[in-house]
Amino acid sequence: MKKYGITLLVSCLLCGGVQAGDYAHLYQNLPEPQAPQIPVTRVSLPDFGGCADGIGLNTDAFRKAISALEKQGGGHLDVPAGIWLTGPIGLKSRIDLHLDRGAIILFTPEKEAFLKDGKMVPGITASKREDVSITGEGVIDGNGEWWRAVKRGKVSDTEWKDYLRMGGTVAEEGSLWYPFDLTHFPNVAPSYREQERLRTHLVRFTDCKRVLVQGVTLQNSPKFHLVPQRCQQVIIDGVTVRCPWNAQNGDGIDLMNSQDVLVTRCTVDVGDDGICLKGGAGEAGVKAGPCARILICDNTVFHAHGGFVIGSEFSGGMEDILVQRNVFSGTDTGLRFKSGPGRGGRTKNVVVSDIVMSDIRDEAVVFETVYQNASVGEAPDVARTQAFQPAFTGIRMSRITCRDARVAVAVRGTLATVFDNYLEDSTFFYSEQGALLPEEGMIRFSDVTLRTYETVKESQNGN
């Protein structure tokens, strides 16, 4: 393996590539997502029997209010300040769910409320709808501690005792706790492993057009927090997404096979990937189409496995993606491109620029094409096919500044799966390795500064 270790400057020609600042032509015709059109009609949840005491269940109140709005052609459902305990909420076309400041929608820990035809439905969902939105200054809380398995090695003794007081099941020779056989709530599956597979998302839009999520806080999901899946015309603006750093599968914002999307001014602090693009696996991913025409700008990601991520599944492809002016502070990795056999696709016109990173535990930039998905407590999902190999290519990264990463740039894969990517006009301060590239041609460097403690000392000493 060829290793690029401690160096003051890496300066290679971008063979055949465009220079810094020449990327604008890729996006001059990028269409701006259309905002949903919501009628001016307004109703308030208490008018339909809603109770904000955190004890009474508001599932029927939400259903009645949304049904009433639908009959009037749509409008805004206002959720005032208070704790609104509820089961799943199904949004309809031309309806805005608006949370006032001080409002908390708290999903019940009663898993039975979410079980439908043997599957779990998300906390908030909309399927095949148009013009839907969630807005306001309130909080949507998934009550995820009642759903997620917990790894003993990721919690303190005090936290572990708190989980044991909930009841549950300790398995895997004491290394895992599952919310199965809880003291106060029944199981919804015959075993803890089967119940673990039923975990659902907090907010999911599927096959929808013109979607807006703005201003709200999404927290503590049983699984992923915000998932637009096969959607078109999506705006995610000023949203806060948060959960414990050790939350299993606690992804923040996952865009799946969606087109014409803007993610801006969001703050993400989660247990898994921060802002992630997924494109499905195998033939199903191809059929669902690519993630395309997506702008991700002016966001801040604190803890996450990756600040900006593509993968692991992206068989539908990634096209015309612009990621710019984002801050990653305290993430495990910064820019993370991950996939494996059976899950891969091809990237086209992916541009990343003006990224600021600090306190990155592992790699600032990492490509991995031997990734194996592993559910908690189970063996990795080893691909049984060599079809749908990933092809990370043509990704252009520039003006990246990183202080404190263990490794600046790394590739775990082959030249057949990672090739003709570009990194330029960037600076990395690392603690262990500068660049780990198995083969030339995977990433082409131009005006990239790699510094570490020894090189800084040499510079300060005048060497």
Side-chain angles (χ1 to χ4, degrees):
M1 176 183 291
K2 185 172 182 178
K3 296 184 179 181
Y4 298 81
I6 298 174
T7 58
L8 283 177
L9 186 66
V10 179
S11 184
C12 305
L13 293 177
L14 284 174
C15 302
V18 295
Q19 298 299 310
D22 292 338
Y23 304 140
H25 70 282
L26 297 173
Y27 295 94
Q28 286 178 350
N29 298 317
L30 190 67
E32 182 178 345
Q34 299 175 21
Q37 299 297 309
I38 309 292
V40 297
T41 303
R42 306 196 79 95
V43 301
S44 183
L45 191 60
D47 294 338
F48 296 86
C51 179
D53 61 4
I55 299 173
L57 202 61
N58 289 279
T59 310
D60 283 344
F62 276 108
R63 179 183 55 79
K64 291 175 181 177
I66 291 169
S67 179
L69 277 175
E70 184 183 28
K71 291 176 181 177
Q72 298 179 63
H76 304 264
L77 171 55
D78 289 330
V79 181
I83 299 177
W84 305 89
L85 187 70
T86 184
I89 300 170
L91 294 179
K92 304 294 181 67
S93 295
R94 294 173 296 281
I95 289 179
D96 166 48
L97 177 64
H98 183 82
L99 284 74
D100 291 346
R101 184 177 181 85
I104 299 177
I105 294 177
L106 179 65
F107 287 100
T108 176
E110 295 274 5
K111 298 181 179 65
E112 291 177 310
F114 300 86
L115 193 60
K116 183 178 180 180
D117 299 327
K119 296 181 180 180
M120 288 290 184
V121 298
I124 298 177
T125 185
S127 179
K128 298 181 180 179
R129 306 295 181 182
E130 297 183 356
D131 299 302
V132 291
S133 64
I134 302 173
T135 62
E137 300 179 75
V139 175
I140 300 172
D141 190 317
N143 235 335
E145 65 269 23
W146 298 97
W147 295 78
R148 296 186 301 260
V150 176
K151 292 182 178 180
R152 177 64 183 91
K154 285 189 172 183
V155 296
S156 66
D157 290 345
T158 299
E159 291 170 307
W160 185 251
K161 290 177 182 177
D162 288 340
Y163 283 108
L164 296 181
R165 277 195 287 268
M166 295 165 62
T169 299
V170 177
E172 314 296 328
E173 298 180 347
S175 65
L176 281 169
W177 175 88
Y178 289 88
F180 187 82
D181 288 341
L182 292 167
T183 302
H184 298 292
F185 302 106
N187 301 317
V188 291
S191 71
Y192 62 83
R193 290 190 185 278
E194 291 177 76
Q195 185 165 285
E196 167 66 19
R197 299 186 192 109
L198 291 175
R199 276 195 295 146
T200 188
H201 302 144
L202 182 57
V203 178
R204 186 171 71 204
F205 300 95
T206 305
D207 298 309
C208 292
K209 294 182 180 179
R210 294 181 299 278
V211 174
L212 170 67
V213 183
Q214 186 177 56
V216 294
T217 294
L218 307 177
Q219 67 181 27
N220 206 17
S221 175
K223 200 172 182 183
F224 302 167
H225 286 76
L226 178 54
V227 183
Q229 182 178 36
R230 300 190 302 274
C231 290
Q232 298 176 359
Q233 310 292 334
V234 179
I235 300 172
I236 303 171
D237 178 15
V239 173
T240 298
V241 186
R242 58 190 295 268
C243 68
W245 73 270
N246 50 13
Q248 293 295 135
N249 309 113
D251 286 24
I253 300 170
D254 280 22
L255 307 176
M256 299 183 178
N257 302 91
S258 294
Q259 296 89 41
D260 300 308
V261 181
L262 171 65
V263 180
T264 186
R265 301 188 302 177
C266 294
T267 301
V268 180
D269 191 347
V270 292
D272 209 307
D273 290 327
I275 302 174
C276 183
L277 305 185
K278 295 180 180 292
E283 292 288 356
V286 174
K287 183 178 180 181
C291 276
R293 301 178 301 279
I294 295 175
L295 173 60
I296 299 171
C297 63
D298 303 306
N299 303 287
T300 300
V301 181
F302 292 108
H303 185 271
H305 287 184
F308 169 72
V309 182
I310 291 179
S312 64
E313 60 271 29
F314 74 111
S315 296
M318 299 284 153
E319 301 177 6
D320 298 335
I321 312 296
L322 178 58
V323 182
Q324 62 182 14
R325 299 190 307 274
N326 296 288
V327 174
F328 308 146
S329 180
T331 59
D332 291 350
T333 61
L335 301 172
R336 187 185 191 196
F337 307 97
K338 60 174 182 175
S339 191
R343 311 170 74 86
R346 190 179 183 91
T347 57
K348 180 181 179 182
N349 295 342
V350 177
V351 178
V352 182
S353 68
D354 301 288
I355 305 297
V356 175
M357 306 186 200
S358 67
D359 190 23
I360 307 301
R361 190 187 72 176
D362 295 318
E363 303 94 351
V365 179
V366 60
F367 291 79
E368 183 178 2
T369 58
V370 291
Y371 181 84
Q372 295 179 350
N373 189 53
S375 299
V376 62
E378 297 189 8
D381 181 15
V382 180
R384 299 179 182 178
T385 176
Q386 290 302 306
F388 300 101
Q389 289 281 350
F392 289 116
T393 181
I395 299 173
R396 292 178 166 86
M397 301 166 284
S398 66
R399 298 187 297 279
I400 297 172
T401 303
C402 175
R403 170 73 193 199
D404 287 332
R406 186 176 60 82
V407 177
V409 184
V411 176
R412 291 187 286 276
T414 67
L415 191 57
T417 57
V418 181
F419 56 93
D420 291 338
N421 300 292
Y422 303 92
L423 176 62
E424 58 186 351
D425 190 20
S426 298
T427 300
F428 300 86
F429 185 94
Y430 63 92
S431 61
E432 293 185 14
Q433 293 287 343
L436 299 172
L437 278 65
E439 302 178 68
E440 294 184 5
M442 290 178 155
I443 304 174
R444 303 179 188 277
F445 294 86
S446 176
D447 297 325
V448 176
T449 300
L450 302 178
R451 305 290 292 270
T452 190
Y453 295 101
E454 288 78 6
T455 58
V456 168
K457 292 176 181 179
E458 291 174 0
S459 176
Q460 292 173 342
N461 291 330
N463 297 327

